[in-house]
């Protein structure tokens, strides 16, 4: 069956009830094309992480529905269509890099051991360029390396969709550029559908085919922007005038509005 | 050995000084040996009564060992059950905390009444005293799971049992060992108190017996032996921890040994 992407309509997310209720997302529609790199860009507190979790079936929406490939999102979770890369690497400190990767696949597939698990894990680790660090424990890895293991852990599940929740937010600028390049390579190689949450404008423009710009109070999509820059992109693209037009436009969009 | 000495000589020096002052002060102040025994007296007593003391120490060790092992099983089982089933935690946790307010030492006579003078009431008292720090620490550990990790598990549809066995239990091990360290000293207290309440053997019984005979050197000898016993159990547990650390290295990273 052809993968049809993710469609969500009339999404709403509220926490609490009565007078203390907080509306995080309101009347939100979004469509994510298969094999595209899509960013959710917005300021802190706009609900972009919440939206990601709802799209990935990790959290339930208060109203509205999400379909993946025409199926309800809960079924897509059961069919293992999602690989999550959380904000922090969240590696088990007592397991080596490769064992961390293996374990999630074991849990996802409900299998103890198997050649396919070992193979998927080594392949994923190779894809993020960490084969040499396979047997290192998490405390022996740098922040960037830990995040790469986290990405490999998601890739080893061989999902249709990668959900990435600000995975590079805690990294320094230089490491972050390097990670963006690697991620662009991984995407080009695997052509997974990637939904990527970030609050960095250049990062979003550099990586994405489509950027959904989100606004706050309540969280909603204020603009959907297609990024028309040639691929493969290198760091030189930062100097491209079109790139700079995109970033300038997005900066104006996200600028805090002056209080009248 | 040399580096051990370099690190520990201040405490060793203080120890020797205290023993020496004790010995000399009892002589100088002309204190009766009914009131306080000199170190030289009770060390001599330890030698002359060595058979009596060894037998008593053996009985008490047995109580501590069984009591502590059962406390571990009970403590862990309760913690896992409470962490795994929220309704159970809501139902039982307040009662367990409430039970902690009961001065459990005062339960010793009741256990003697119920279970007689043998091994059983000692073990029951030890378990009642020692399971709580194990349960409490383990429970905190089981709940200290990384939120992001939990999301990750949910994203692949992991069951609660999988989250519990694969992540929560290993995560809680450093907390468990912190609890075990408290529990082992509680277990020694439990054994001695249970023997005070009613026993025919053991170091606690010997202390009480010696006190009725005004045999102060024997009291001190038994007291020293109980303390040594506590120390042996404490370090035996540290050894067990060390062996486990080799399998789960994160214990060493987090615990303050």
């Amino acid at each position: 069956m052809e993968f049809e992407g993710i469609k969500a309509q009339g999404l709403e997310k509220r926490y609490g009830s009565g007078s203390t209720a907080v509306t995080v997302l309101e009347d939100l529609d979004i469509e994510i094309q298969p094999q595209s790199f899509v960013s959710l860009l917005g300021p802190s507190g706009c609900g972009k992480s919440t939206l990601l979790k709802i799209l990935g079936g990790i959290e339930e929406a208060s109203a509205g529905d999400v379909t993946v490939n025409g199926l309800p999102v809960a079924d897509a979770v059961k069919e293992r269509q999602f690989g999550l890369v959380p904000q922090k690497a969240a590696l088990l400190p007592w397991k080596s890099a490769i064992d961390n990767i293996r374990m999630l696949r074991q849990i996802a597939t409900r299998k103890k051991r198997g050649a396919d698990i070992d193979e998927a894990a080594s392949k994923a680790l190779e894809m993020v360029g960490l084969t040499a660090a396979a047997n290192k424990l998490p405390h022996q890895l740098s922040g960037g390396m830990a995040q790469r293991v986290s990405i490999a852990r998601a890739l080893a599940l061989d999902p249709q969709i990668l959900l990435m929740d600000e995975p590079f937010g805690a990294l320094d600028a230089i490491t972050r550029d390097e990670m963006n390049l690697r991620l662009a390579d991984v995407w080009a190689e695997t052509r997974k559908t990637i939904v990527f949450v970030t609050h960095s404008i250049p990062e979003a423009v550099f990586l994405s085919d489509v950027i959904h710009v989100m606004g706050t109070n309540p969280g909603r999509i204020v603009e959907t922007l297609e990024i028309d820059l040639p691929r493969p992109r290198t760091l030189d693209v930062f100097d491209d005038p079109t790139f700079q037009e995109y970033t300038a436009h997005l900066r104006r969009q996200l600028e805090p509005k002056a209080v009248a | 050995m040399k580096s051990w000495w370099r690190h520990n000589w201040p405490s060793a020096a203080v120890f020797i000084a205290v023993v020496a002052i004790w010995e000399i002060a009892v002589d100088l102040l002309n204190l009766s040996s009914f009131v306080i025994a000199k170190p030289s007296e009770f060390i001599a007593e330890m030698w002359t009564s060595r058979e009596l003391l060894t037998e008593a120490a053996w009985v008490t060790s047995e109580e501590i060992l069984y009591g502590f092992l059962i406390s571990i099983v009970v403590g862990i089982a309760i913690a896992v059950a409470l962490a795994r089933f929220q309704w159970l935690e809501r139902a039982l946790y307040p009662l367990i905390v409430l039970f902690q307010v009961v001065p459990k030492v005062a339960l010793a006579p009741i256990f003697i009444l119920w279970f007689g003078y043998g091994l059983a009431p000692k073990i029951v008292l030890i378990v009642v005293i020692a399971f709580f720090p194990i349960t409490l620490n383990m429970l905190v550990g089981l709940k200290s799971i990384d939120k992001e990790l939990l999301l990750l598990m949910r994203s692949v549809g992991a069951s609660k049992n999988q989250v519990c066995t694969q992540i929560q239990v290993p995560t809680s091990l450093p907390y468990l060992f912190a609890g075990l360290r408290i529990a082992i000293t509680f277990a020694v207290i439990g054994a001695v108190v249970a023997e005070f309440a009613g026993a025919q053997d053991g170091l606690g019984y010997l202390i009480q017996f010696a006190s009725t005979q005004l045999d102060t050197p024997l009291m001190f000898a038994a007291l020293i032996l109980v303390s040594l016993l506590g120390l042996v159990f404490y370090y035996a547990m540290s050894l067990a921890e060390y062996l486990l650390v080799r399998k789960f290295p994160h214990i060493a990273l987090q615990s303050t040994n």
Side-chain angles (χ1 to χ4, degrees):
Chain A
M1 188 167 56
E2 187 78 6
F3 178 55
E4 297 167 19
I6 309 175
K7 288 185 187 128
Q9 277 188 323
L11 285 186
E12 205 166 301
K13 181 70 184 178
R14 286 181 306 269
Y15 290 108
S17 59
S19 59
T20 56
V22 182
T23 305
V24 182
L25 298 172
E26 194 173 71
D27 194 24
L28 191 146
D29 299 339
I30 189 170
E31 210 168 295
I32 288 165
Q33 295 301 320
Q35 304 197 314
S36 61
F37 197 117
V38 177
S39 286
L40 307 175
L41 176 70
S44 311
C46 70
K48 51 192 192 298
S49 278
T50 307
L51 177 58
L52 184 83
K53 283 168 200 153
I54 291 172
L55 293 177
I58 300 165
E59 266 188 47
E60 264 183 72
S62 311
D65 48 29
V66 182
T67 57
V68 178
N69 226 355
L71 292 170
V73 64
D75 294 347
V77 171
K78 279 183 205 136
E79 287 181 11
R80 294 191 284 118
Q81 300 206 349
F82 294 106
L84 176 70
V85 181
Q87 250 166 39
K88 287 190 292 163
L91 301 172
L92 297 176
W94 61 90
K95 283 190 186 289
S96 66
I98 190 97
D99 283 340
N100 264 287
I101 297 170
R102 278 197 197 115
M103 195 203 72
L104 199 68
R105 193 180 158 102
Q106 281 167 4
I107 288 178
T109 57
R110 304 214 162 11
K111 273 168 70 176
K112 271 272 168 229
R113 284 252 164 262
D116 65 312
I117 289 170
D118 293 346
E119 199 181 309
S122 342
K123 212 178 109 197
L125 209 52
E126 196 188 321
M127 223 179 281
V128 297
L130 277 182
T131 305
N135 294 314
K136 288 200 168 157
L137 288 169
H139 72 95
Q140 297 169 309
L141 302 172
S142 69
M145 287 162 95
Q147 282 300 353
R148 275 146 74 188
V149 175
S150 171
I151 293 170
R153 180 176 55 189
L155 286 171
L157 301 170
D158 198 20
Q160 297 265 26
I161 305 150
L162 275 184
L163 305 169
M164 306 185 80
D165 189 2
E166 284 189 60
F168 309 142
L171 302 178
D172 64 273
I174 297 166
T175 313
R176 198 165 179 157
D177 283 348
E178 186 198 323
M179 297 299 285
N180 284 334
L181 276 171
R182 278 192 186 278
L183 182 58
D185 283 349
V186 167
W187 177 77
E189 199 178 323
T190 60
R191 293 307 297 249
K192 304 270 181 213
T193 306
I194 297 185
V195 187
F196 188 89
V197 169
T198 182
H199 55 234
S200 158
I201 294 170
E203 184 171 83
V205 177
F206 178 77
L207 288 168
S208 308
D209 297 318
V210 176
I211 299 175
H212 294 282
V213 184
M214 294 184 69
T216 47
N217 284 329
R220 64 204 188 284
I221 290 171
V222 293
E223 189 189 1
T224 297
L225 183 68
E226 284 194 29
I227 303 296
D228 192 11
L229 286 167
R231 287 187 190 265
R233 298 171 192 166
T234 62
L235 293 178
D236 292 336
V237 85
F238 283 80
D239 303 324
D240 190 308
T242 326
F243 180 91
Q244 285 164 358
E245 266 171 48
Y246 282 129
T247 54
H249 169 77
L250 288 167
R251 190 157 290 123
R252 279 192 299 277
Q253 271 285 2
L254 291 169
E255 214 164 60
K257 302 285 182 283
V259 181
Chain B
M1 193 65 201
K2 214 172 177 183
S3 67
W4 180 90
W5 179 248
R6 197 171 299 151
H7 187 255
N8 288 302
W9 74 264
S11 56
V14 170
F15 178 77
I16 292 166
V18 167
V19 173
I21 292 169
W22 183 350
E23 181 80 31
I24 296 163
V26 173
D27 272 342
L28 283 182
L29 299 173
N30 212 7
L31 294 172
S32 153
S33 66
F34 291 130
V35 181
I36 186 165
K38 289 191 289 188
S40 59
E41 277 177 328
F42 60 71
I43 289 167
E45 179 66 36
M46 278 171 106
W47 178 250
T48 48
S49 305
R50 59 186 179 280
E51 268 173 46
L52 184 69
L53 285 164
T54 319
E55 206 195 310
W58 186 248
V59 170
T60 306
S61 303
E62 225 176 347
E63 292 164 6
I64 296 171
L65 185 67
Y66 291 143
F68 185 56
L69 289 179
I70 295 173
S71 300
I72 295 176
V73 175
V74 171
I76 292 176
I78 293 177
V80 171
L82 294 189
R84 179 65 186 74
F85 303 104
Q86 261 191 348
W87 58 269
L88 201 63
E89 186 182 1
R90 276 201 297 270
L92 286 184
Y93 192 70
L95 295 180
I96 293 175
V97 172
L98 197 69
F99 180 64
Q100 284 313 300
V101 188
V102 177
K104 280 168 297 296
V105 170
L107 294 175
I110 299 175
F111 291 150
I112 301 287
L113 186 71
W114 289 348
F115 304 111
Y117 285 88
L119 193 58
K122 281 87 182 174
I123 291 176
V124 173
L125 188 70
I126 290 171
V127 173
V128 160
I129 295 179
F131 87 93
F132 189 66
I134 300 174
T135 295
L136 195 67
N137 276 275
M138 180 97 182
L139 198 58
V140 171
L142 290 168
K143 289 180 163 187
S144 70
I145 169 176
D146 193 334
K147 263 172 74 183
E148 306 256 313
L149 210 49
L150 202 61
L151 287 180
L152 197 67
M153 289 309 198
R154 226 182 282 165
S155 75
V156 295
S159 70
K160 282 186 174 175
N161 283 335
Q162 281 175 316
V163 174
C164 187
T165 55
Q166 306 259 358
I167 299 183
Q168 286 181 291
V169 170
T171 303
S172 69
L173 286 180
Y175 298 85
L176 172 65
F177 274 104
L180 291 182
R181 282 200 211 111
I182 304 170
I184 188 69
T185 55
F186 281 16
V188 176
I189 297 172
V192 172
V193 168
E195 286 175 10
F196 280 178
Q200 290 144 341
D201 211 341
L203 289 170
Y205 164 78
L206 207 58
I207 291 172
Q208 218 180 28
F209 171 78
S211 115
T212 61
Q213 307 295 309
L214 297 179
D215 188 350
T216 312
L218 184 62
M219 265 174 77
F220 273 85
L223 182 65
I224 299 289
L225 217 54
V226 175
S227 311
L228 285 177
L229 215 58
L231 218 57
V232 168
F233 273 105
Y234 188 91
Y235 282 108
M237 212 194 54
S238 294
L239 181 70
E241 184 174 355
Y242 167 78
L243 294 174
L244 242 130
V245 163
R246 290 205 299 200
K247 193 161 158 50
F248 296 100
H250 72 295
I251 296 174
L253 297 178
Q254 292 179 17
S255 80
T256 51
N257 198 350

